[in-house]
Amino acid sequence: MFLDTVLHRNPGLAEAAADLHERGHIPPDTYVMDLDAVEENAALLAGAADRLGVGLWFVVKQLGRNPELIRAVARHIPRAAAIDVTEARALHASGALLGNVGHLSQIPRRALPGILALRPERVTVFDLANARAVAEAARAAGRVQDVLIRIEGADGTVYPGQEGGVPLDRLDVFAEAAEALGPLRIAGVTAFPCVLCDPATGRPATTPTFDLALKAREVLAARGHHGLELSAPSATSAASLPLLAERGATHGEPGHALTGTTPLHALDPTQPEKPAYVYVTEVAHTLDDGRPALFGGGFYARSHIRGALLPRTGARLGVQDAPARNIDYYRLLDAPSDATDVRVGDTALLAFRTQIFVTRSTVAVVSGLSSGAPRLNGLYDAQGRAL
């Protein structure tokens, strides 16, 4: 999906990744992350958002919650949106401030005291029971906690496994009950996904769910709430920030823009964010019909992989589809025209959209590529723990 863009925009990353694998410094099933490029992208996004008056909370699940990458991003975008408790703790431990917790996954009731002790700016709540739990934890901590109300998405826009939120037609009733909870202040609304990239052009556009969030903010304003925020996550990038500002969002939540891997970047290599990772694996065996099998572990189901590069010969082979319901022990390539061109142990480079935190991959952080002196900083697991 992004292989051509990486080879064109960041060839040093591809070269360094292949070299690290060929010398045995990284195993197959490793994402090699360009620390310099991630930081450059963060600085670019921070500058663009500042000019437009849009706040940013960065997201790191797709980066494997990696402490080196978190610190690099936080130097330019200090606050993050944590999708769950594990991510909130990883962000805090790496020095980032918490902008919004409960972003995609509610904070479990028993974990709330510990999370509120980390002083998040906002906590997102999906329903009244969770709002009550936040209020109870805030009361016990002796503080008032600002919350964002998650608005239920428009029909046909909600991803399976991400259902939830307050329906727009029930918001008045919800708000009345939440206002009576004491140490809880309604600070605004959020919803997901608010922006998506057009499958044909890659250009970002707002969704019907964004429109619902705007209407929800109007409902709350009519109840006397002032200075209401609207966080509009999904596909936040330099290209979509003007759209967020124009439509009245106060916050974006960049994730894949930090690595130059939104759907827009796959179709338009001229986008300002630089591609910042490649996936490295190797040929495990070859089937009797000539198809090479690569070691798996990091093939995210929604990655839209198209091709692999075998650096030893320069061969480019197509990547065959695989059902998401199966474990990716291996991933098959198209058979080459000459079977002798592929050997067991050959390095394979791929570049595709991923969510590292749901893989079993290794993450290798490399610095110095921007100055021509690459250095392997360290190896981590998919949850950001040093290996």
Side-chain angles (χ1 to χ4, degrees), residues 234-317:
S234 191
T236 303
S237 67
S240 67
L241 283 170
L243 180 62
L244 296 188
E246 178 186 336
R247 295 297 309 275
T250 62
H251 289 78
E253 300 183 9
H256 275 282
L258 296 169
T259 48
T261 51
T262 75
L264 175 59
H265 292 84
L267 295 172
D268 182 2
T270 67
Q271 288 300 303
E273 296 94 345
K274 190 176 184 179
Y277 68 76
V278 291
Y279 182 67
V280 183
T281 188
E282 69 180 59
V283 175
H285 58 275
T286 301
L287 274 62
D288 208 41
D289 60 11
R291 289 178 295 168
L294 303 180
F295 286 109
F299 290 107
Y300 178 61
R302 294 168 56 202
S303 55
H304 305 293
I305 310 171
R306 295 175 184 167
L309 169 66
L310 305 183
R312 183 180 63 80
T313 62
R316 294 281 294 268
L317 300 177

Side-chain angles (χ1 to χ4, degrees), residues 139-226:
R139 183 177 293 107
R143 58 178 291 196
V144 175
Q145 178 62 54
D146 285 354
V147 299
L148 299 181
I149 301 170
R150 160 78 170 244
I151 303 302
E152 184 179 60
D155 289 343
T157 69
V158 179
Y159 299 130
Q162 297 185 25
E163 300 88 353
V166 179
L168 182 63
D169 61 4
R170 296 285 296 163
L171 182 57
D172 248 325
V173 174
F174 174 92
E176 183 177 6
E179 289 160 359
L181 290 178
L184 180 148
R185 188 182 79 89
I186 296 174
V189 298
T190 188
F192 188 88
C194 289
V195 177
L196 289 176
C197 294
D198 183 275
T201 67
R203 303 307 304 181
T206 57
T207 67
T209 293
F210 192 111
D211 297 330
L212 290 179
L214 288 170
K215 292 175 182 176
R217 187 165 62 176
E218 292 174 1
V219 169
L220 295 175
R223 295 186 60 84
H225 296 279
H226 303 292

Side-chain angles (χ1 to χ4, degrees), residues 96-156:
L97 302 174
L98 296 179
N100 181 19
V101 299
H103 159 76
L104 289 180
S105 178
Q106 289 290 266
I107 303 301
R109 179 173 59 85
R110 294 170 184 84
L112 274 166
I115 294 300
L116 293 193
L118 305 182
R119 311 295 293 187
E121 269 192 323
R122 308 287 182 261
V123 176
T124 292
V125 293
F126 284 41
D127 60 15
L128 191 57
N130 276 280
R132 289 194 182 103
V134 173
E136 290 170 7
R139 183 177 293 107
R143 58 178 291 196
V144 175
Q145 178 62 54
D146 285 354
V147 299
L148 299 181
I149 301 170
R150 160 78 170 244
I151 303 302
E152 184 179 60
D155 289 343

